[in-house]
């Protein structure tokens, strides 16, 4: 067996690290298999990487004068076939190495891709095109790692994961509820949460956080309701005498807290109140915020210019003069949704108008549109129902004939046109008016 290299990429919260760690934990470390796992964000320098690899793999240097790089190269790429050891190295957040030392970034990939290598390198990062952008030297020598992209979770996938986890909380033998019963959260609330998270980022961890905080909110409401009910019962038993205020310094629990605790103890996973859509909406407003606004603020000038060009195509043509009695309904500039080719022509026309902005090449433009589609700001509009707003299509942007539609409202786009170049963008958004 020889070494290999696998680069795992995808947005945060898609399960990259969890899956790789689970697989590596299933490997039994023995005399022939050595494992090491490093989170590159915790590394301060290139030398720390080398030393940690040497220590975690149990290949300690006997002589302090030996260079760490040469020592690692000798164990990963031995000149003889005498050794049968295999080294499995997991590098999470491997793109952080680019800010430390590019040589170690090249060396690790190169060692794992050599014909007689004993290194199996598993690199994990968010960037999809990291190897193409920063490893041209390996690509020129036909040494390219295997790629495993992770797509963001879709709404049905998030809903399935949450539903499965909640059903595991039901006690065995609870036959008083139907088989499809979900404890603690109503199915419609789970669906609402899944669509919220999928439309923003597809991060499964955010969905877990949202559900967890929603359950906490319902728990607080139930406790408050039980405490109010206990206080009302006490008033009914002695209406003529108001209850004395409780002393919080007493070590013994109060009667009200004991009655509330006993009342709550009677609730089970089957009988506990369930969170509704209103609960999820309340928590998501504080947890998720406005995802589109955050994504718009992170765009560069050219990306915003493409959005402005698309928005200008969607603007209605001006109506007759204000004083006219007969008014005709406004109609769109294009019949149907514009294609990528039509959008590029409009973009170039608006950019060259008054020399406002230097336009991109057609290849660069298609890449920018694809990036906006990945962010869920634009989408493929093939007619019919299309797909969920804000969710990237799995096919991606195919070519000039792909029809596009804007997921960003005019008000949201205008609010992000601030800072350097805002005047140019506002003129582009105005279009040919």
């Amino acid at each position: 067996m020889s070494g290999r290299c696998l680069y795992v990429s995808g947005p945060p919260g898609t399960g990259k690290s969890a899956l790789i760690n689970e697989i590596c934990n299933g490997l039994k470390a023995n005399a022939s298999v050595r494992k090491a796992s490093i989170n590159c964000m915790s590394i301060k320098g290139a030398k720390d990487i080398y030393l940690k690899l040497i220590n975690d793999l149990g290949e300690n240097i006997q002589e302090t004068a030996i260079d760490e790089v040469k020592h690692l190269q000798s164990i990963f790429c031995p000149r003889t076939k005498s050794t049968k050891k295999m080294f499995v190295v997991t590098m999470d957040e491997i793109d952080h190495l680019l800010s430390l030392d590019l040589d170690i970034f090249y060396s690790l990939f190169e060692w794992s891709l050599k014909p007689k290598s004993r290194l199996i390198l598993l690199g994990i990062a968010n960037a999809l095109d990291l190897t193409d952008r920063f490893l041209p030297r390996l690509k020129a020598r036909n040494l390219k790692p295997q790629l495993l992209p992770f797509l963001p979770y879709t709404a049905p996938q998030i809903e399935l994961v949450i539903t499965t986890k909640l059903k595991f909380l039901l006690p065995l033998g609870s036959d008083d509820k139907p088989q499809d019963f979900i404890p603690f959260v109503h199915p419609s609330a789970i669906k609402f949460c899944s669509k919220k998270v999928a439309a923003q980022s597809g991060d499964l961890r955010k969905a877990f956080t949202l559900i967890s905080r929603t359950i906490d909110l319902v728990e607080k409401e139930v406790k408050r309701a039980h405490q109010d009910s206990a206080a009302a019962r006490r008033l009914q038993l002695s209406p003529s005498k108001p209850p004395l205020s409780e002393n919080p310094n007493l070590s013994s629990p109060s009667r009200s807290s004991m009655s509330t605790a006993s009342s709550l103890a009677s609730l089970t996973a089957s009988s506990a109140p369930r969170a509704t859509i209103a609960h999820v909406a309340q928590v998501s407003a504080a947890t998720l915020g406005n995802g589109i606004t955050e994504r718009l603020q992170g765009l560069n000038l050219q990306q915003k210019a493409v959005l402005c060009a698309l928005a200008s195509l969607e603007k209605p043509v001006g109506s007759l003069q204000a004083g006219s009695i007969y008014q005709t309904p406004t109609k769109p500039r294009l019949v149907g949704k514009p294609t990528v080719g039509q959008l590029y022509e409009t973009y170039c026309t608006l950019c060259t108008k008054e020399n406002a902005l230097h336009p991109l090449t057609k290849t660069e433009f298609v890449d920018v549109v694809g990036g906006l589609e990945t962010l869920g700001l634009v989408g493929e509009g093939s007619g019919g129902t299309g797909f969920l707003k804000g969710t990237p299509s799995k096919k991606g942007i195919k070519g000039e004939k792909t029809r596009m539609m804007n997921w960003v409202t005019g008000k949201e786009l205008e609010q992000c046109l601030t800072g350097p170049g805002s005047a140019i963008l506002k003129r582009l958004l105005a279009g040919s008016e």
Side-chain angles (χ1 to χ4, degrees), residues 152-164 187 190-199 202 204 207 387-388 391-392 394:
Y153 278 90
T154 62
Q157 291 172 338
I158 295 174
E159 182 181 356
L160 178 62
V161 172
I162 294 174
T163 300
T164 304
I190 297 177
K191 187 183 294 290
F192 178 75
C193 167
S194 304
K195 289 184 177 181
K196 268 277 187 183
V197 175
L204 188 61
F387 51 86
L388 180 65
T391 304
K394 294 182 180 179

Side-chain angles (χ1 to χ4, degrees), residues 73-92:
Q73 186 175 5
S74 65
I75 63 176
F76 290 152
C77 306
R79 296 182 179 180
T80 61
K81 296 183 179 180
S82 58
T83 179
K84 294 183 179 181
K85 292 180 182 178
M86 291 300 302
F87 301 93
V88 181
V89 177
T90 304
M91 307 286 288
D92 202 356

Side-chain angles (χ1 to χ4, degrees), residues 289-351:
N290 192 344
I292 289 183
T293 302
E294 295 172 357
R295 282 174 278 175
L296 286 173
Q297 290 175 349
L299 298 180
N300 58 39
L301 188 63
Q302 289 287 0
Q303 289 173 318
K304 291 180 181 179
V306 174
L307 281 178
C308 290
L310 181 56
S312 70
L313 281 175
E314 296 175 345
K315 279 189 175 183
V317 177
S319 57
L320 296 177
Q321 293 181 0
S324 177
I325 301 175
Y326 302 100
Q327 295 283 342
T328 58
T330 58
K331 49 187 177 180
R333 297 177 186 271
L334 291 172
V335 178
K337 303 174 181 69
T339 64
V340 174
Q342 292 170 333
L343 177 59
Y344 180 66
E345 291 177 2
T346 304
Y347 160 80
C348 291
T349 302
L350 294 175
C351 286

Side-chain angles (χ1 to χ4, degrees), residues 8 16-17 31 49 56 67 78 83 94 113 117 123 126 131 134 200 213-214 263 271 282 299 315 318 322 383 416:
V8 184
K16 305 183 298 295
S17 302
I49 285 276
D56 291 355
D67 183 69
T83 179
I94 196 170
L113 293 171
S117 173
N126 297 334
T131 55
F134 295 101
Q200 189 186 57
R213 293 183 180 180
T214 301
S263 178
S271 62
Q282 181 179 346
L299 298 180
K315 279 189 175 183
C416 82

Side-chain angles (χ1 to χ4, degrees), residues 6-210:
L6 178 66
Y7 175 66
V8 184
S9 62
T14 51
K16 305 183 298 295
S17 302
L19 178 63
I20 296 299
N21 290 336
E22 184 176 354
I23 294 174
C24 291
N25 291 336
L27 297 174
K28 294 183 178 179
N30 49 45
S32 59
V33 179
R34 304 283 181 86
K35 300 187 300 181
S37 180
I38 300 176
N39 189 317
C40 299
M41 291 296 291
S42 62
I43 301 300
K44 297 181 179 179
K47 189 173 182 180
D48 297 337
I49 285 276
Y50 297 129
L51 293 176
K52 185 167 179 57
L53 282 174
I54 292 171
N55 294 331
D56 291 355
L57 296 173
E59 297 289 332
N60 296 324
I61 301 177
Q62 301 296 331
E63 301 179 13
T64 56
I66 296 179
D67 183 69
E68 294 90 352
V69 181
K70 292 182 179 179
H71 181 68
L72 282 175
Q73 186 175 5
S74 65
I75 63 176
F76 290 152
C77 306
R79 296 182 179 180
T80 61
K81 296 183 179 180
S82 58
T83 179
K84 294 183 179 181
K85 292 180 182 178
M86 291 300 302
F87 301 93
V88 181
V89 177
T90 304
M91 307 286 288
D92 202 356
E93 307 288 353
I94 196 170
D95 51 343
H96 182 63
L97 296 181
L98 298 173
S99 61
L100 298 178
D101 190 352
L102 194 58
D103 290 336
I104 185 175
F105 191 73
Y106 270 110
S107 299
L108 289 171
F109 279 94
E110 188 175 3
W111 290 340
S112 64
L113 293 171
K114 284 188 175 181
K116 298 181 181 179
S117 173
R118 314 303 295 173
L119 170 64
I120 298 177
L121 179 64
L122 304 174
I124 307 172
N126 297 334
L128 297 174
D129 57 347
L130 182 71
T131 55
D132 291 334
R133 286 189 292 124
F134 295 101
L135 296 176
R137 189 168 68 190
L138 297 181
K139 190 176 181 180
R141 298 170 56 186
N142 202 22
L143 297 175
K144 192 173 182 180
Q146 292 180 319
L147 305 179
L148 179 60
F150 275 56
L151 294 176
Y153 278 90
T154 62
Q157 291 172 338
I158 295 174
E159 182 181 356
L160 178 62
V161 172
I162 294 174
T163 300
T164 304
K165 282 186 168 292
L166 289 175
K167 282 186 175 181
F168 271 114
L169 301 177
L170 284 172
L172 295 175
S174 54
D175 300 330
D176 56 330
K177 295 291 183 180
Q179 292 183 351
D180 58 348
F181 178 78
I182 304 172
F184 301 115
V185 185
H186 196 274
S188 60
I190 297 177
K191 187 183 294 290
F192 178 75
C193 167
S194 304
K195 289 184 177 181
K196 268 277 187 183
V197 175
Q200 189 186 57
S201 62
D203 190 336
L204 188 61
R205 295 174 299 187
K206 288 187 176 181
F208 288 158
T209 301
L210 186 56

Side-chain angles (χ1 to χ4, degrees), residues 244-262:
L244 297 175
S245 60
E246 297 172 359
N247 189 348
N249 296 323
L250 295 179
S251 58
S252 59
S254 62
R255 290 183 180 180
S256 61
S257 61
M258 291 177 63
S259 61
T260 302
S262 61

